[in-house]
């Protein structure tokens, strides 16, 4: 059985969750600007993509990050926007009318009380959403491991942990290897952990990655945010530590 996500604590969800904040800002923009303009191919137009890059404050996808790689920004250049658009469509917060996306009645209810939608957004995104770089079979296969992943991170991310720290616990055979050897030997496991688990938890706002002073290829240290304990109750809440056995 999947761990239930149920927001109970008094936290500023929009400040902590890049995904909820992006959805909220997008629906608010559509409500205030007469809709989000679409290109002839149905993508969000450059005017909105630029606005989103500046205002979303998405970790690793700020306007500075994005414009360092592209002179102009299209929807395809901003991966978080794909998720925001998918989730607002899935939850019926925005609807397409000719060449614009407009807020629905439910979308306006979301603007008034976004916290009331968090449990649904979080559950769908964490457990069901299929990223553009994934296959549905991978997301389905991961379902049986989510309780273990969340309980492990519940303990290790209290003080901070790297992806390789977690890999060593998941597969103790990797523990004696150097970080360079680990990167080669444990590539598949580490990649699935980074993109299938840690990225989802960071984009949802339950974890954040401390990356100050690191290069693009270096792993940061992952920590829990106040949103974690506000919406998750896990078996490991009273457990002190877990190590490599």
């Amino acid at each position: 059985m999947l761990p239930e996500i149920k927001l109970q604590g008094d936290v500023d969800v929009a400040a902590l969750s890049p995904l909820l904040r992006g959805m909220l800002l997008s629906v608010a923009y559509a409500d205030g600007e007469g809709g989000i303009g679409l290109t002839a191919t149905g993508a969000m137009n450059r005017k909105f993509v630029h606005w989103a890059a500046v205002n979303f404050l998405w970790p690793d996808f700020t306007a500075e990050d994005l414009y360092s790689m592209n002179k102009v920004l299209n929807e395809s250049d901003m991966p978080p926007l794909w998720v925001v658009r998918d989730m607002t469509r899935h939850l019926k917060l925005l609807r397409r009318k000719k060449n614009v996306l407009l807020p629905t009645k439910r979308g306006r209810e979301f603007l008034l009380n976004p916290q009331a939608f968090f449990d649904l957004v979080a559950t769908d995104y964490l457990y069901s959403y299929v990223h553009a770089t994934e296959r549905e079979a991978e997301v389905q296969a991961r379902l049986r491991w989510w309780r273990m992943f969340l309980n492990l991170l519940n303990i290790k991310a209290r003080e901070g942990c790297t992806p390789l720290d977690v890999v060593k616990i998941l597969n103790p055979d990797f523990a004696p290897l150097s970080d360079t050897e680990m990167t080669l030997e444990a590539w598949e496991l580490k990649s699935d952990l980074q993109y299938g688990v840690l990225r989802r938890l960071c984009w949802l706002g339950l974890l954040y990655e401390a990356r100050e002073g690191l290069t693009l290829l270096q792993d940061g240290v992952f920590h829990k945010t106040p949103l974690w304990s506000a919406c998750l109750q896990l078996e490991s809440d009273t457990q002190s530590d877990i190590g490599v056995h």
Side-chain angles (χ1 to χ4, degrees):
M1 191 172 172
L2 291 166
E4 183 183 19
I5 301 173
K6 189 171 184 181
L7 186 63
Q8 295 178 315
D10 182 20
V11 294
D12 186 343
V13 179
L16 292 168
S17 172
L19 177 56
L20 194 89
R21 182 170 62 248
M23 292 171 65
L24 185 61
L25 288 170
S26 298
V27 177
Y29 180 100
D31 193 43
E33 299 292 327
I36 296 171
L38 301 175
T39 67
T41 59
M44 292 168 161
N45 65 20
R46 285 180 179 171
K47 177 185 175 184
F48 175 74
V49 176
H50 169 76
W51 183 89
V54 172
N55 289 279
F56 276 12
L57 305 178
W58 203 291
D60 301 324
F61 292 94
T62 63
E64 184 181 0
D65 296 323
L66 292 163
Y67 279 113
S68 70
M69 296 182 284
N70 303 279
K71 288 185 178 180
V72 295
L73 290 181
N74 296 303
E75 182 182 334
S76 59
D77 300 317
M78 190 175 174
L81 201 49
W82 312 345
V83 183
V84 167
R85 180 169 180 173
D86 285 345
M87 293 298 292
T88 53
R89 179 175 57 222
H90 173 63
L91 296 177
K92 296 182 171 56
L93 306 179
L94 291 174
R95 64 182 175 88
R96 181 170 181 173
K97 185 177 181 182
K98 295 184 179 177
N99 63 340
V100 293
L101 292 175
L102 297 168
T104 61
K105 181 179 180 231
R106 196 175 194 220
R108 291 193 176 95
E109 291 171 358
F110 172 67
L111 290 181
L112 292 174
N113 189 10
Q115 299 211 173
F117 286 76
F118 179 76
D119 297 352
L120 183 59
V121 171
T123 301
D124 281 4
Y125 175 65
L126 201 60
Y127 299 144
S128 304
Y129 182 78
V130 181
H131 274 267
T133 54
E134 291 181 307
R135 291 177 293 113
E136 188 172 353
E138 293 173 316
V139 176
Q140 290 292 319
R142 199 178 295 125
L143 288 176
R144 61 187 291 225
W145 300 107
W146 270 111
R147 183 171 294 276
M148 184 266 296
F149 283 137
L150 290 174
N151 275 291
L152 193 161
L153 289 166
N154 192 34
I155 296 168
K156 301 307 291 184
R158 286 172 190 160
E159 302 298 325
C161 61
T162 67
L164 288 182
D165 291 335
V166 179
V167 165
K168 289 175 185 177
I169 295 171
L170 295 175
N171 190 335
D173 290 343
F174 291 136
L177 302 179
S178 69
D179 283 0
T180 304
E181 291 172 323
M182 284 266 292
T183 300
L184 295 171
E185 296 290 329
W187 176 262
E188 189 174 343
L189 177 57
K190 184 189 172 194
S191 180
D192 188 54
L193 177 71
Q194 280 188 296
Y195 296 107
V197 177
L198 296 173
R199 177 174 66 174
R200 285 180 189 255
L201 290 166
C202 284
W203 284 18
L204 192 54
L206 274 65
L207 292 179
Y208 72 92
E209 183 183 9
R211 295 198 52 81
E212 190 174 350
L214 299 178
T215 67
L216 191 63
L217 297 177
Q218 290 176 304
D219 294 325
V221 178
F222 290 84
H223 301 266
K224 292 191 289 185
T225 75
L227 193 50
W228 181 291
S229 58
C231 69
L232 282 175
Q233 288 187 311
L234 298 164
E235 297 85 348
S236 55
D237 283 341
T238 57
Q239 196 171 335
S240 59
D241 197 11
I242 185 170
V244 180
H245 301 293

